[in-house]
Amino acid sequence: AQSVTQPDIHITVSEGASLELRCNYSYGATPYLFWYVQSPGQGLQLLLKYFSGDTLVQGIKGFEAEFKRSQSSFNLRKPSVHWSDAAEYFCAVGSVRSSNTGKLIFGQGTTLQVKP
Amino acid sequence: DAGVIQSPRHEVTEMGQEVTLRCKPISGHDYLFWYRQTMMRGLELLIYFNNNVPIDDSGMPEDRFSAKMPNASFSTLKIQPSEPRDSAVYFCASSPGTSAPTKNIQYFGAGTRLSVL
């Protein structure tokens, strides 16, 4: 069965420090991979996506993620965190099969707190 | 484009009342999704439509929940009768559906926060 695991429910980092949020997936083939961010009281906003090709993808707000097939991972990174990055982050996977339904499977989310 | 528009943003109702949540997807998008978000269960897919037709409603919790999409620019999620355990944030999302990769890019509305007393 397809699944997405975000091992860290809550992470606290200091402003200016680097950040890595983990995401592991279980799937029979390479899926489409996404990171979304949800600020308090808002909907989910797409940060970045991986479909194929270069395994290091750049997104908005200075975020990047690296797809590692051997580890079934798609970790999100940012070299220097800003206080405005405090939010909840969701990893998601979609199907690459020909019967692609457009559905996404979301992880449980990681809440990022930024200390001044 | 204005993005996905949901209304109302907040809804407070009493147990047993009917609740209707509304969604206007992004123009030209073929897929529409309804999600529910709670602290306990996270983000759950309730139902989704393709070209106004319901494709998968296996996530709808029970018969009290129903969803319709009468045209490409409007969808409703109805709860009748509502119960306190229905309190959650309900999101609507739409996606282009033109080819496999872009079909998976979902754009979310700001959500409706429902409180059932």
Side-chain angles (χ1 to χ4, degrees), chain B residues 6-76:
Chain B
Q6 292 186 246
S7 63
R9 288 296 312 276
H10 303 274
E11 177 79 41
V12 180
T13 191
E14 294 187 345
M15 181 174 62
Q17 297 298 305
E18 177 180 296
V19 175
T20 299
L21 311 181
R22 297 172 176 79
C23 175
K24 176 179 170 54
I26 294 173
S27 177
H29 281 193
D30 293 337
Y31 283 78
L32 184 139
F33 305 81
W34 281 102
Y35 292 88
R36 178 173 67 177
Q37 185 179 40
T38 61
M39 290 291 292
M40 291 299 296
R41 301 175 68 90
L43 196 63
E44 303 173 275
L45 176 64
L46 301 177
I47 184 172
Y48 75 99
F49 296 81
N50 180 22
N51 292 322
N52 313 337
V53 176
I55 302 300
D56 183 354
D57 65 354
S58 59
M60 296 286 260
E62 48 198 276
D63 292 345
R64 298 184 297 105
F65 286 70
S66 63
K68 294 182 179 180
M69 192 165 186
N71 56 62
S73 59
F74 184 65
S75 177
T76 60

Side-chain angles (χ1 to χ4, degrees), chain B residues 85-97:
Chain B
R85 60 193 168 117
D86 302 330
S87 297
V89 181
Y90 291 81
F91 288 104
C92 175
S94 68
S95 66

Side-chain angles (χ1 to χ4, degrees), chain A residues 32 34 36 38 41-44 46 49 51 88 90 93-95 100-104 106 108, chain B residues 9 31 33 35 37 40-43 45 48 56 91 100-106 108-110:
Chain A
Y32 300 132
F34 306 83
Y36 282 84
Q38 183 182 24
Q42 301 297 315
L44 280 69
L46 181 68
K49 60 190 181 295
F51 292 153
E88 189 160 17
F90 292 90
V93 298
S95 171
N100 184 352
T101 62
K103 288 174 60 174
L104 293 179
F106 285 87
Q108 284 294 96
Chain B
R9 288 296 312 276
Y31 283 78
F33 305 81
Y35 292 88
Q37 185 179 40
M40 291 299 296
R41 301 175 68 90
L43 196 63
L45 176 64
Y48 75 99
D56 183 354
F91 288 104
T102 60
K103 188 184 300 185
N104 277 194
I105 301 176
Q106 294 185 18
F108 283 74

Side-chain angles (χ1 to χ4, degrees), chain A residues 14-87:
Chain A
S14 298
E15 190 169 16
S18 63
L19 171 70
E20 181 169 35
L21 302 183
R22 295 182 291 163
C23 173
N24 294 96
Y25 65 90
S26 174
Y27 198 80
T30 302
Y32 300 132
L33 297 159
F34 306 83
W35 275 99
Y36 282 84
V37 60
Q38 183 182 24
S39 298
Q42 301 297 315
L44 280 69
Q45 179 186 16
L46 181 68
L47 271 179
L48 48 77
K49 60 190 181 295
Y50 172 79
F51 292 153
S52 64
D54 192 346
T55 57
L56 184 64
V57 293
Q58 303 297 320
I60 63 172
K61 305 185 181 187
F63 285 91
E64 67 177 25
E66 185 172 14
F67 168 58
K68 294 186 176 180
R69 184 190 307 273
S70 61
Q71 299 177 19
S72 296
S73 69
F74 189 56
N75 294 348
L76 181 71
R77 300 194 294 248
K78 187 169 185 178
S80 178
V81 170
H82 188 262
W83 64 266
S84 61
D85 293 325

